[in-house]
Amino acid sequence: MSLPPDHPSRSFTANSYLRACRLQPVDRVPVWFQRQAGRSLPEYRQVRGDGSILRSIEDASLTAEITMQPVRRYGVDAAILFSDIVVPVNAVGFKIDVVPGVGPTAEQPFRSKEDLNRLRPLEPDIDTPYVLDAVRLLVEQLEVPLIGFAGAPFTVASYLIEGQPSRNHARTKSLMHSDPNLWHELMTRLSDISISSMRSQVLAGASAVQLFDSWAGALQPVDYEEHVLPHSRRVFEELADLEVPRAHFGVGTAEILSLMSEAGADVVGADWRVPIDEVRRRVGSKTAVQGNLDPAVCLADWPVVAEQTRRVLKAAGGKPGHIFNLGHGVLPETNPAILEQVVELVHTEGLNPDLLAT
Amino acid sequence: MSLPPDHPSRSFTANSYLRACRLQPVDRVPVWFQRQAGRSLPEYRQVRGDGSILRSIEDASLTAEITMQPVRRYGVDAAILFSDIVVPVNAVGFKIDVVPGVGPTAEQPFRSKEDLNRLRPLEPDIDTPYVLDAVRLLVEQLEVPLIGFAGAPFTVASYLIEGQPSRNHARTKSLMHSDPNLWHELMTRLSDISISSMRSQVLAGASAVQLFDSWAGALQPVDYEEHVLPHSRRVFEELADLEVPRAHFGVGTAEILSLMSEAGADVVGADWRVPIDEVRRRVGSKTAVQGNLDPAVCLADWPVVAEQTRRVLKAAGGKPGHIFNLGHGVLPETNPAILEQVVELVHTEGLNPDLLAT
């Protein structure tokens, strides 16, 4: 299907984020920050309260306000919906919450075939109407594109199987290796849910989507290729007809970047471990790249942050198809004034021939 | 200095682990497992109790027994001393404990220049006599070489600064970037402590050493090169005169493997994320490689484990200078019977031309 003529994505023809996603020339390097809406902002802490994010986002106007905050403050080139990757699976009844200070936590983790029954298809209008209400509220107000998102099937599966954030993803890998049929069924259901969620966000007005496979880098390439890539590829294929840019992100993905690019996204984001020119080499010339300043660098004083921001810009070389971002989410202890300066620097110096020549 | 003529390392001329470390031909591929002595073994759980490892290892005969257990059970080609990387810093008075189920925990983390006073030089004979007693007990009994070890300055610094295990090492990186002079002083002191500890273990009878820089892979290459590599290089240089093999290990090190090899170790170990033939390419032909089966694979049934073990062996190609190991420590939930089978397979098939030709 094609989006209607009045879809918001059609109004941002000059927006540098959308243009960079499509490898088109830009008049400045676009920048946004993963987890730009969040605890680093005093205005966020003021409105958000202490409870689970899953309760907060049921209030669409609060979601819209939180999503807008970093756009107002930083002048970034895109907004990203304030939400969480476990929202859809919780909404269909899996029962997983986001415990403040801990992360996604399931009292009854995924263990056997019977647990598939807790993962029926998502009906976005019925299961997550507040998400779509927030998208509609936002696109009325925003002067930049809104990025919708979902968790990738592997990373969501990891939370469901481990029951909590995990360092080694041992149970997840164990299920993958021990029961590949069940693994495949689980990944298929989670892919369906991610597809439905992202489609609904775009139809409600989002101008791009990002699939977060944050923990895919825990896998060796051969396991990623066999057990994850086919599912992520299907997610992107099922969104292709919408004709909005599709981005794909994970951390620690050095050795799977080229495989990730085979999943078919328009943009691949990477963490700080691989210099961005090398990221580009690995994903190929038909894919835009996003990143990749180490978020921990932003805890330092400005001269250090400036130097490392310039290093990323120089490595990107001012070529089309680079979206500046952090290599992972903004750390809660980050000083927002530093991120304001990063945006200013990226915008003013990102295409500066003198910088790029040094 | 040279080791005395009766040093244990001189008696293992036919040992495949020591030979592989030196890139010499072997009659079978050597194998040992990181964290082979530990909770995966019922005989370990029986003797160990529930308290901090720092208390347990004060009993040298218990340490020796625990170190011997996997050698007896698996027939591995090397033993590694049962200890912890925070033992020396705790012994000089920093006050850091290993909390069961949590990891290294410091009530008063490293915060400022004054904290350097809590890191005086290590006097192994006085500060950790039980470690050396255990080494001496072990070399009397062992029929394979004993590997001594220490934490690398970066990884130990991370524990001291974060105060507990950390996912993003934000405070550590923040100190590194914000106060490079203090960082350098801290790294120098920690390097001195690691050097003293490993020297003393070798002089007491250990036949090899391994420097664990488990979390160095959290750094971007440019930060590793500037803030970590010079210190790790000094550690290896200061041990060179002992003429025992020196190994170097971290996880998530894909992009820093070639830099790590510049630190000068004889062996570089890597996790499962980079195929072992690619590890070898990155560290260069003068350095042996160690690894790199994903420990989580060992939770699967034997056919899966066998297939992936063979994959590592094939990638290593039977060339001199490969020590089979896991890509990180044995997971506590591992079935020891599986590791027994891994050892058997590595020993019987590792140099099999039919396997290597497939």
Side-chain angles (χ1 to χ4, degrees), chain A residues 20-265:
Chain A
C21 289
R22 295 175 168 130
L23 300 170
Q24 294 165 342
V26 290
D27 53 14
R28 67 184 193 189
V29 174
V31 51
W32 68 280
F33 303 117
Q34 297 182 122
R35 211 172 295 150
Q36 60 191 12
R39 277 187 290 154
S40 60
L41 293 178
E43 59 268 34
Y44 170 90
R45 298 193 295 269
Q46 200 172 355
V47 300
R48 168 72 166 76
D50 290 329
S52 164
I53 182 176
L54 302 194
R55 298 299 85 70
S56 293
I57 64 162
E58 290 176 3
D59 178 345
S61 62
L62 178 61
T63 299
E65 165 59 21
I66 290 174
T67 302
M68 296 284 294
Q69 286 174 348
V71 179
R72 283 188 210 116
R73 182 187 275 262
Y74 299 133
V76 283
D77 299 291
I80 184 160
L81 186 67
F82 179 69
S83 188
D84 190 275
I85 66 168
V86 301
V87 165
V89 282
N90 184 61
V92 301
F94 189 87
K95 288 195 178 163
I96 180 165
D97 203 352
V98 182
V99 178
V102 179
T105 305
E107 272 183 42
Q108 297 191 317
F110 187 97
R111 286 285 175 272
S112 67
K113 199 166 172 61
E114 287 66 47
D115 292 313
L116 288 173
N117 298 328
R118 297 159 65 196
L119 291 168
R120 65 162 172 79
L122 179 76
E123 298 181 80
D125 291 334
I126 298 166
D127 296 322
T128 53
Y130 43 86
V131 170
L132 305 180
D133 289 341
V135 171
R136 289 183 204 105
L137 279 173
L138 278 161
V139 296
E140 279 174 21
Q141 303 171 61
L142 279 169
E143 294 174 8
V144 292
L146 176 68
I147 306 170
F149 73 90
F154 173 78
T155 292
V156 176
S158 166
Y159 285 122
L160 303 190
I161 295 167
E162 305 289 338
Q164 58 189 324
S166 163
R167 192 187 273 276
N168 54 39
H169 308 275
R171 280 181 176 273
T172 308
K173 293 177 181 176
S174 180
L175 178 70
M176 173 191 293
H177 291 303
S178 304
D179 194 343
N181 289 332
L182 179 57
W183 174 259
H184 177 72
E185 288 187 70
L186 171 60
M187 292 289 279
T188 300
R189 291 209 183 205
L190 294 176
S191 298
D192 288 339
I193 289 171
S194 293
I195 292 163
S196 299
S197 176
M198 286 193 288
R199 281 194 82 87
S200 70
Q201 293 174 59
V202 172
L203 294 176
S207 291
V209 288
Q210 181 159 318
L211 188 71
F212 283 89
D213 211 353
S214 305
W215 310 133
L219 295 170
Q220 55 181 334
V222 66
D223 284 337
Y224 180 83
E225 186 169 16
E226 181 173 344
H227 299 290
V228 176
L229 176 57
H231 299 281
S232 295
R233 181 186 284 130
R234 186 168 72 87
V235 171
F236 288 116
E237 283 171 357
E238 298 269 345
L239 297 168
D241 62 314
L242 297 175
E243 295 180 354
V244 298
R246 300 154 298 164
H248 195 183
F249 170 77
V251 298
T253 56
E255 296 311 303
I256 60 169
L257 280 169
S258 64
L259 290 170
M260 281 177 75
S261 76
E262 289 179 28

Side-chain angles (χ1 to χ4, degrees), chain B residues 343-356:
Chain B
V343 171
E344 176 74 13
L345 194 158
V346 172
H347 280 164
T348 56
E349 297 189 28
L351 298 175
N352 185 328
D354 293 337
L355 172 73
L356 301 175

Side-chain angles (χ1 to χ4, degrees), chain A residues 320-353:
Chain A
H322 174 230
I323 299 137
F324 190 96
N325 207 316
L326 304 185
H328 201 184
V330 174
L331 294 170
E333 56 268 48
T334 307
N335 176 1
I338 289 285
L339 295 186
E340 286 181 47
Q341 290 179 278
V342 170
V343 171
E344 176 73 13
L345 194 158
V346 172
H347 280 164
T348 57
E349 297 189 28
L351 298 175
N352 185 327

Side-chain angles (χ1 to χ4, degrees), chain A residues 3 6-13 18 22 205-208 243-244:
Chain A
L3 294 173
D6 62 341
H7 188 271
S9 63
R10 301 194 191 275
S11 65
F12 295 115
T13 49
L18 290 179
R22 295 175 168 130
S207 291
E243 295 180 354
V244 298

Side-chain angles (χ1 to χ4, degrees), chain B residues 83-258:
Chain B
S83 188
D84 190 275
I85 66 168
V86 301
V87 165
V89 282
N90 184 62
V92 300
F94 189 86
K95 289 197 178 161
I96 180 164
D97 203 353
V98 182
V99 178
V102 179
T105 305
E107 273 183 42
Q108 297 192 317
F110 187 96
R111 286 285 174 271
S112 67
K113 200 167 172 61
E114 287 66 48
D115 292 313
L116 287 173
N117 298 328
R118 299 159 64 196
L119 292 166
R120 65 161 172 80
L122 179 75
E123 298 180 81
D125 291 335
I126 298 166
D127 296 322
T128 53
Y130 43 86
V131 169
L132 305 180
D133 288 342
V135 172
R136 289 183 205 105
L137 279 174
L138 278 160
V139 296
E140 280 173 21
Q141 303 171 60
L142 279 168
E143 293 174 9
V144 293
L146 177 69
I147 306 169
F149 73 89
F154 172 78
T155 292
V156 176
S158 166
Y159 285 122
L160 303 190
I161 294 166
E162 305 289 338
Q164 58 189 323
S166 163
R167 192 186 273 275
N168 53 39
H169 308 275
R171 280 180 176 273
T172 308
K173 293 178 181 175
S174 180
L175 178 69
M176 173 191 292
H177 291 303
S178 304
D179 194 343
N181 289 333
L182 179 57
W183 174 259
H184 177 73
E185 288 187 71
L186 171 60
M187 292 289 279
T188 301
R189 292 209 182 204
L190 294 177
S191 298
D192 288 339
I193 290 170
S194 293
I195 293 162
S196 298
S197 176
M198 287 193 287
R199 282 195 80 87
S200 70
Q201 293 174 59
V202 172
L203 294 176
S207 292
V209 288
Q210 181 159 317
L211 188 71
F212 283 88
D213 210 353
S214 305
W215 310 135
L219 295 170
Q220 54 182 335
V222 67
D223 284 337
Y224 180 82
E225 185 169 17
E226 181 173 345
H227 300 289
V228 176
L229 176 57
H231 299 280
S232 295
R233 181 186 284 131
R234 186 168 70 87
V235 172
F236 289 115
E237 282 170 357
E238 298 268 345
L239 298 168
D241 62 313
L242 297 175
E243 296 181 352
V244 298
R246 300 153 298 163
H248 195 183
F249 170 78
V251 298
T253 56
E255 297 311 302
I256 59 169
L257 280 169
S258 64

